[in-house]
Amino acid sequence: MILKNVHPAYDWQEIAHLALCSRLMDEMEENELTPKGLVTYQFSARGHELGQLLVSQLLDRPYDAASVYYRSRPFMLGSGLSLEEAFASDMARTGSINGGRDVGVVFSMPRRKRAMVLPMAADVGSQFTPAAGYAQGLVYHKNELKTADLEDSIAVVFAGDGAVAANGFWSSLTIATTLKLPLLFVIEDNDYAISVTSPHQTPGANIAANLASFANLKIWDGSGTNPEEAAELAHRAVQYVRSWQGPGLLRLRVPRLSGHSSVDNQAYKEEEALQEEWTRDPIQAIKEYLVPTAMRENVWERMLLDAKRDVRLAKDAALAQPYAEPETVTQFALSTKDNVQQVGGLLAAGIELPKGTDVPNPVDPRRINMVEAIRRTMEVELKVNPRCLTFGEDVGYKGGVHAATLGLQKAYGEGRVFDTSLNEEGIIGRAVGMAYAGLMPVPEIQFRKYADPATEQINNSGTVRWRTNGRFAAPLVIRIPGGFRKIGDPWHSVTSEVTFAHQPGLLFAAPSNAEDTVGLLRTALRGNDPVIFFEHRAMLDAGWARRPYPGDDFMLPFGKAKTITEGDELTVVTWGAMVERCELAAKDLEGVEIIDLRTLAPWDETAVLQSIQKTSKCLVVHEDIGFGGFGAEISATIVSKAFLDLDAPVERVAAPSVPVPFSTRLMEGVVPTIERIRERMEFLLAY
């Protein structure tokens, strides 16, 4: 049916049908399914339907993508999510988009008939920087890869007015405007962030007005419930961003016609405010826009009946689905050969990099330091893989504060090796979006402590494969230097590797020398999981850590430890800078076997247990704080699986529960010294 007297860019019959379906679903969940316990956590989109459906229809290019939030179900329906899937997601059934692993409105979806929906997280504001990264990925595809069918694809990110106070919003705004990215921000302003009103979120309660003078940003502001106005605003905004002149921000005023969630009764709203919101109901506005000028009343009524039927059938079909079985819960925690993701990384793009060897083949006996090992490995991988790129603060012309990327920008250009704004959320969030665009991003965080602002994005990159039921993944390599050097301090000398090792879905490497650095970094760069690559500052130029370059094909498997010295009296388990100190501490001691784990996630449990079968004693040495440190995990595993092999308690040498001090003298009381390590070795040998 061709509808007349309406904006021609849209299929208004579909908009009306899906708006009705979305509204009926919300009402059914709120009034029936949630009270019965069939939906345990419900977020309504009532009042938000129109603008989302309009934008969904405009995103029809091959690489269009959207980053959404928890009130975006109408957009999901417009992008191809079925009604049954939508119900099943809120009911946590097997046919849901995430298999019951995540909240039903935490959305993601590979491309169907319209935009791909990037995996969201429930952290408010976390959807912004991955969208910026995906938009930058589009630019990379165009400029570096010369992707043929890119056309004028764009990225869109949706959010409520409360989210514009978040770190991720301002970070992504900086990224998008400084780089003039094809990114459209759609802010649905419903005046409330749960109960907090707009003036407490944004000065003057209008983010569009505040950003009117923001350089390189085009602004549109208006009603999200008036069909004629909203349709024109959405069309102008999308068409402008498709021109690739720069980003835009579309603010749509909408009412929130339900509580924040199913547990919010809106008692903080006055009755007058509640009544005013209903005067802006977009469903009624859509009907008035279409009837009678574009369709007859009976057509609308028939559409309403069809929507009621479709919603009822979808609900019944979802209720018939089973719940996932508990034994399947660990699936998709990490990549496997049998379950390759549909979106994200190289494998999803059909690209396999060359296999390597774990046998070193040095052609030059010259010993290089760890900095050169990193640089040479990155140089090889940038040449082998045109989808590999590296970035961070000072990573470009300066070559990084540790000189690990020195010369790479000159060799490979600013499109592949570049500086970023000073925001770690933005560095890692954009890397996640680039991974979704089929790239292999290698972001650098200057020091371990500086990664703290990016914690959400780091953790979410690890769980995305699991949360999306194996459909999406974000393979990337995050390089993070850290640890003490000749001097320390609380800001540059932190290790706290247990923080990352504890997070699901992340791999963690902590090489102690140049050879292992090459092998583990290359494996990470050719892998299919997100990796934290920890580069110890004390070892970057240490003489002990220098080794000959092992060759361009050298790759080491994660989870495979290395025996540094062999013995049958005492097993010493360590990693990073402590490997050298343990070796020095064991000098002239008989029977000490030192194991360098090299990676903590996974860690080589087998090698440790086999060693303890010989020695019957174990000492774990690490630089991080002892309380709750990774040594506790190793000790617990030994006690659980090798208790009968032990002839002495498992001992640890680690830091006390204080930061690393600036004073070199004080630092001796924190970072394990050779003397402290040797004392514990001698204690156990004599036990």
Side-chain angles (χ1 to χ4, degrees), residues 340-352 387 437-439:
V340 176
Q341 65 274 9
Q342 297 177 43
V343 179
L346 303 182
L347 289 182
I351 297 168
E352 290 195 49
R387 291 175 178 245
L439 307 180

Side-chain angles (χ1 to χ4, degrees), residues 81-140:
L81 184 73
S82 73
L83 300 179
E84 182 180 344
E85 284 176 311
F87 270 129
S89 295
D90 266 0
M91 296 179 192
R93 304 302 174 99
T94 53
S96 71
I97 56 175
N98 58 50
R101 293 162 182 263
D102 207 338
V103 179
V105 293
V106 177
F107 298 114
S108 66
M109 192 170 66
R111 187 175 190 271
R112 293 182 178 177
K113 64 178 182 177
R114 293 186 180 127
M116 175 173 67
V117 180
L118 305 178
M120 63 166 281
D123 311 310
V124 173
S126 65
Q127 70 270 37
F128 288 110
T129 52
Y134 185 86
Q136 191 171 355
L138 293 175
V139 175
Y140 190 93

Side-chain angles (χ1 to χ4, degrees), residues 262-277:
S262 53
V263 296
D264 175 23
N265 63 9
Q266 301 199 91
Y268 45 83
K269 288 184 180 180
E270 299 291 340
E271 183 62 31
E272 182 179 333
L274 291 169
Q275 292 177 3
E276 186 280 329
E277 287 181 317

